[in-house]
Amino acid sequence: MDLDLRAGLASNYKSPSQVARVVSEHWAAQNLYCPACDSNRLNQSPTNTRAVDLLCPRCNQVFQLKSSLRWNQNKIVDAAYTSMISAIRSDKVPSLVVMQYTNFWKVWNVLLVPHFFFTESAIQQRRPLGLSARRAGWVGCNILLSEIPPDGKLHLVTDGMITEVDQIRKQYSQIRSFSKLSPDVRGWTLDVLRAVRKINKAEFTLSEVYSFEVELAKAHPGNRNVRPKIRQQLQKLRELQFLEFVRPGCYRLLGTK
Ligand SMILES: [Zn+2]
């Protein structure tokens, strides 16, 4: 992986956002690989494909690339709120690649979130555009990266340091089983996994997970039986080999991350 961007490629473009898009897409097509299979390249998709920028030629996984000079690890602006929510529900979200570069056109951070790690609770509705806007009333969204469990964040480049490809593919293989869950179940499972990661202990109790009851109820307003749901998801995480039962009401994380 070469961390230098070819800024000269976009000399025909004037707008800084177009320059950034051209340069970063070119870099991605030259340097990114697929974490899901053994393809060592991703292809640039035709420019008119909405919200899809890169495609794995081997397993057909699609990736959306978002690049910027600024790096916000907690949140990233995305497109329309309703289309994002319906994409999550129908399992059609592309995987996300967030890339940050420096003033000197060096790639500094690259974060990849597989498509099956997006949940509705990680999508924040933005305020509708004001009346003076060209698209008045349009509602966009933010992807809250902070609400995605660390297991689903693949750090390909961290502050200019490249992670080994094998390590990234290993991390991907450890979470791949989530893609087999249906989107309505997966949302709950990932939200409980996020709670478990926030507890930040190798061994934890059911009551510690219950302390997220209010937060989880808010994320799933249609569900009144939050505690049984939490227990069910802990069982699911056990089946997915993320944790084991130590004794009643006590769990231990397995070395998945
Ligand atoms: Zn692939």
Side-chain angles (χ1 to χ4, degrees), residues 33-42 55-61 63 169:
Y33 53 88
C34 182
C37 74
D38 59 0
S39 173
N40 286 328
R41 57 170 302 160
L42 299 176
L55 179 75
C56 173
R58 199 158 293 166
C59 73
N60 289 327
Q61 181 157 172
F63 301 83
R169 288 197 174 128

Short mmCIF file of all heavy atoms in Angstrom, two decimals, residues 33-42 55-61 63 169, ligand 1:
data_model
loop_
_atom_site.label_atom_id
_atom_site.label_comp_id
_atom_site.label_asym_id
_atom_site.label_seq_id
_atom_site.Cartn_x
_atom_site.Cartn_y
_atom_site.Cartn_z
N TYR A 33 -7.72 -3.23 -0.92
CA TYR A 33 -7.94 -4.66 -1.19
C TYR A 33 -9.26 -5.04 -0.53
O TYR A 33 -9.81 -4.29 0.28
CB TYR A 33 -6.79 -5.47 -0.60
CG TYR A 33 -6.53 -5.19 0.86
CD1 TYR A 33 -7.21 -5.90 1.85
CD2 TYR A 33 -5.67 -4.16 1.25
CE1 TYR A 33 -7.00 -5.61 3.19
CE2 TYR A 33 -5.46 -3.87 2.60
CZ TYR A 33 -6.13 -4.60 3.56
OH TYR A 33 -5.95 -4.32 4.89
N CYS A 34 -9.73 -6.22 -0.85
CA CYS A 34 -10.99 -6.66 -0.25
C CYS A 34 -10.70 -7.38 1.07
O CYS A 34 -9.88 -8.29 1.10
CB CYS A 34 -11.73 -7.58 -1.21
SG CYS A 34 -13.32 -8.11 -0.57
N PRO A 35 -11.37 -6.96 2.16
CA PRO A 35 -11.14 -7.65 3.43
C PRO A 35 -11.91 -8.97 3.51
O PRO A 35 -11.61 -9.84 4.31
CB PRO A 35 -11.68 -6.67 4.47
CG PRO A 35 -12.75 -5.92 3.74
CD PRO A 35 -12.32 -5.84 2.31
N ALA A 36 -12.91 -9.11 2.61
CA ALA A 36 -13.82 -10.25 2.70
C ALA A 36 -13.34 -11.47 1.92
O ALA A 36 -13.79 -12.58 2.16
CB ALA A 36 -15.20 -9.84 2.21
N CYS A 37 -12.46 -11.25 0.94
CA CYS A 37 -11.95 -12.39 0.16
C CYS A 37 -10.47 -12.13 -0.12
O CYS A 37 -9.88 -11.22 0.42
CB CYS A 37 -12.77 -12.56 -1.12
SG CYS A 37 -12.43 -11.32 -2.39
N ASP A 38 -9.88 -12.93 -1.01
CA ASP A 38 -8.44 -12.76 -1.21
C ASP A 38 -8.10 -11.85 -2.39
O ASP A 38 -6.97 -11.85 -2.89
CB ASP A 38 -7.74 -14.13 -1.35
CG ASP A 38 -8.31 -14.94 -2.51
OD1 ASP A 38 -9.22 -14.42 -3.20
OD2 ASP A 38 -7.84 -16.07 -2.72
N SER A 39 -9.07 -11.05 -2.83
CA SER A 39 -8.79 -10.12 -3.92
C SER A 39 -7.91 -8.97 -3.42
O SER A 39 -8.26 -8.29 -2.46
CB SER A 39 -10.10 -9.54 -4.49
OG SER A 39 -9.78 -8.54 -5.43
N ASN A 40 -6.80 -8.76 -4.11
CA ASN A 40 -5.90 -7.70 -3.68
C ASN A 40 -6.17 -6.37 -4.36
O ASN A 40 -5.36 -5.46 -4.32
CB ASN A 40 -4.45 -8.13 -3.91
CG ASN A 40 -4.05 -9.16 -2.87
OD1 ASN A 40 -4.55 -9.13 -1.74
ND2 ASN A 40 -3.21 -10.11 -3.25
N ARG A 41 -7.34 -6.28 -5.00
CA ARG A 41 -7.72 -4.98 -5.57
C ARG A 41 -9.23 -4.81 -5.55
O ARG A 41 -9.99 -5.77 -5.46
CB ARG A 41 -7.19 -4.83 -6.99
CG ARG A 41 -7.64 -5.91 -7.95
CD ARG A 41 -7.27 -5.53 -9.35
NE ARG A 41 -7.87 -4.22 -9.68
CZ ARG A 41 -7.44 -3.45 -10.66
NH1 ARG A 41 -6.42 -3.81 -11.40
NH2 ARG A 41 -8.04 -2.31 -10.92
N LEU A 42 -9.64 -3.54 -5.64
CA LEU A 42 -11.05 -3.20 -5.79
C LEU A 42 -11.15 -2.36 -7.05
O LEU A 42 -10.25 -1.57 -7.34
CB LEU A 42 -11.55 -2.39 -4.59
CG LEU A 42 -11.48 -3.06 -3.21
CD1 LEU A 42 -11.93 -2.07 -2.14
CD2 LEU A 42 -12.36 -4.31 -3.16
N LEU A 55 -15.86 -1.73 -6.11
CA LEU A 55 -16.48 -3.05 -6.22
C LEU A 55 -15.38 -4.10 -6.20
O LEU A 55 -14.38 -3.96 -6.91
CB LEU A 55 -17.24 -3.09 -7.54
CG LEU A 55 -17.97 -4.37 -7.91
CD1 LEU A 55 -19.23 -4.50 -7.07
CD2 LEU A 55 -18.34 -4.34 -9.39
N CYS A 56 -15.57 -5.15 -5.40
CA CYS A 56 -14.61 -6.25 -5.42
C CYS A 56 -14.88 -7.11 -6.65
O CYS A 56 -15.99 -7.62 -6.81
CB CYS A 56 -14.71 -7.09 -4.15
SG CYS A 56 -13.67 -8.57 -4.25
N PRO A 57 -13.89 -7.30 -7.51
CA PRO A 57 -14.13 -8.09 -8.73
C PRO A 57 -14.33 -9.57 -8.44
O PRO A 57 -14.83 -10.30 -9.28
CB PRO A 57 -12.84 -7.87 -9.55
CG PRO A 57 -11.81 -7.47 -8.56
CD PRO A 57 -12.52 -6.78 -7.43
N ARG A 58 -13.96 -10.02 -7.24
CA ARG A 58 -14.08 -11.45 -6.94
C ARG A 58 -15.37 -11.80 -6.20
O ARG A 58 -16.09 -12.69 -6.60
CB ARG A 58 -12.85 -11.90 -6.15
CG ARG A 58 -12.66 -13.40 -6.19
CD ARG A 58 -11.23 -13.80 -5.88
NE ARG A 58 -10.28 -13.37 -6.91
CZ ARG A 58 -8.97 -13.37 -6.75
NH1 ARG A 58 -8.45 -13.73 -5.61
NH2 ARG A 58 -8.16 -12.97 -7.72
N CYS A 59 -15.66 -11.07 -5.10
CA CYS A 59 -16.86 -11.45 -4.31
C CYS A 59 -18.00 -10.45 -4.48
O CYS A 59 -19.05 -10.61 -3.86
CB CYS A 59 -16.50 -11.61 -2.84
SG CYS A 59 -16.18 -10.07 -1.97
N ASN A 60 -17.79 -9.43 -5.31
CA ASN A 60 -18.84 -8.44 -5.63
C ASN A 60 -19.27 -7.56 -4.47
O ASN A 60 -20.30 -6.90 -4.54
CB ASN A 60 -20.09 -9.11 -6.21
CG ASN A 60 -19.82 -9.62 -7.61
OD1 ASN A 60 -19.05 -9.02 -8.36
ND2 ASN A 60 -20.43 -10.74 -7.96
N GLN A 61 -18.53 -7.55 -3.38
CA GLN A 61 -18.89 -6.64 -2.29
C GLN A 61 -18.67 -5.19 -2.77
O GLN A 61 -17.71 -4.90 -3.49
CB GLN A 61 -18.05 -6.91 -1.04
CG GLN A 61 -18.44 -5.98 0.08
CD GLN A 61 -18.12 -6.46 1.49
OE1 GLN A 61 -18.27 -5.69 2.41
NE2 GLN A 61 -17.69 -7.70 1.68
N PHE A 63 -18.34 -1.00 -1.94
CA PHE A 63 -17.79 -0.11 -0.92
C PHE A 63 -18.07 1.33 -1.31
O PHE A 63 -17.92 1.70 -2.47
CB PHE A 63 -16.27 -0.30 -0.81
CG PHE A 63 -15.86 -1.70 -0.45
CD1 PHE A 63 -15.75 -2.68 -1.44
CD2 PHE A 63 -15.60 -2.05 0.86
CE1 PHE A 63 -15.38 -3.98 -1.12
CE2 PHE A 63 -15.22 -3.34 1.19
CZ PHE A 63 -15.11 -4.31 0.20
N ARG A 169 -7.95 -9.19 7.35
CA ARG A 169 -8.81 -10.29 6.86
C ARG A 169 -9.19 -11.23 8.00
O ARG A 169 -10.29 -11.78 8.02
CB ARG A 169 -8.10 -11.05 5.74
CG ARG A 169 -8.06 -10.22 4.46
CD ARG A 169 -7.75 -11.05 3.23
NE ARG A 169 -7.86 -10.21 2.03
CZ ARG A 169 -6.92 -10.11 1.10
NH1 ARG A 169 -5.79 -10.79 1.22
NH2 ARG A 169 -7.12 -9.34 0.05
ZN ZN B 1 -13.93 -9.58 -2.21
#
